[in-house]
Amino acid sequence: GDGLRAAEVQLAHRDRRGDLWFGSATGLARLSPREDPPEGEPPVLIGLLRVDGVMRPLEDLGEREVRDVTIAAGSRQFEIGFVGLSLPGAEGLRYQYRLLGASDDWNPPTVDRSVHFSNLPPGSYRFEVRAVTPGGVSTSQPATVAFRVLPPFWRTWWFTLLGAAAIASSA
């Protein structure tokens, strides 16, 4: 599993070039340590949108940007799922997100790959998420979801206009 023959290491030596030599009863092995390549920024994708338990269609592999999502008045739950991609493995990734229109601050990094919003007030929002590697490298272009929560009908401009017209006509 570690590249050595299945035997107990009996001898270890470092030569002038920095190579490590390991000797055992079954053979000799050499390891030439090199610096790890610089960590690249992990891409992150939106993989799930669910409103009140109903899935919204997305590309199978996820999307970097989702636009023009409209959430009806009275919707109680909105879930956004996301995933980061990392060559050595995504198990060390953590995620930061923010909801512009509610707060400009990034949340502390977390291993959770989804977020739930409940009873959002009417308005326009932009959800952003970025992945952070164990070395602290974060996604420069976060994945985004732009959405709008509609107001209930009695808070719309046309209902207000009708109400004002009704009051004016009764006077």
Side-chain angles (χ1 to χ4, degrees), residues 16-105:
R16 282 177 272 189
R17 292 184 300 167
D19 290 345
L20 303 174
W21 294 85
F22 301 96
S24 69
T26 60
L28 187 63
R30 181 181 71 173
L31 172 65
S32 299
R34 303 290 177 249
E35 282 191 36
D36 290 335
E39 212 172 27
E41 69 176 52
V44 63
L45 300 170
I46 302 297
L48 175 130
L49 290 179
R50 188 178 359 229
V51 178
D52 289 337
V54 178
M55 299 285 288
R56 297 286 176 103
L58 292 175
E59 295 292 326
D60 289 340
L61 297 178
E63 298 181 28
R64 174 75 112 189
E65 181 180 19
V66 180
R67 290 186 249 163
D68 302 325
V69 175
T70 301
I71 300 174
S75 293
R76 302 243 181 245
Q77 285 285 331
F78 183 42
E79 179 182 3
I80 302 173
F82 39 86
V83 63
L85 308 173
S86 177
L87 290 179
E91 61 272 351
L93 290 179
R94 297 184 311 163
Y95 302 92
Q96 288 186 293
Y97 61 85
R98 63 184 175 181
L99 185 60
L100 299 174
S103 172
D104 290 342
D105 298 328

Side-chain angles (χ1 to χ4, degrees), residues 1 6-7 14 39 41 48 58 62 84 89 104 116-117 133 138 142 155 160:
R14 181 177 179 185
E39 212 172 27
E41 69 176 52
L48 175 130
L58 292 175
D104 290 342
H116 299 261
F117 296 106
T133 66
S138 66
R155 291 183 58 196
T160 305

Side-chain angles (χ1 to χ4, degrees), residues 137-161:
V137 176
S138 66
T139 309
S140 60
Q141 288 292 337
T144 62
V145 178
F147 65 97
R148 187 167 54 119
V149 178
L150 297 176
F153 75 91
W154 63 87
R155 291 183 58 196
T156 59
W157 66 268
W158 58 266
F159 186 80
T160 305
L161 186 62

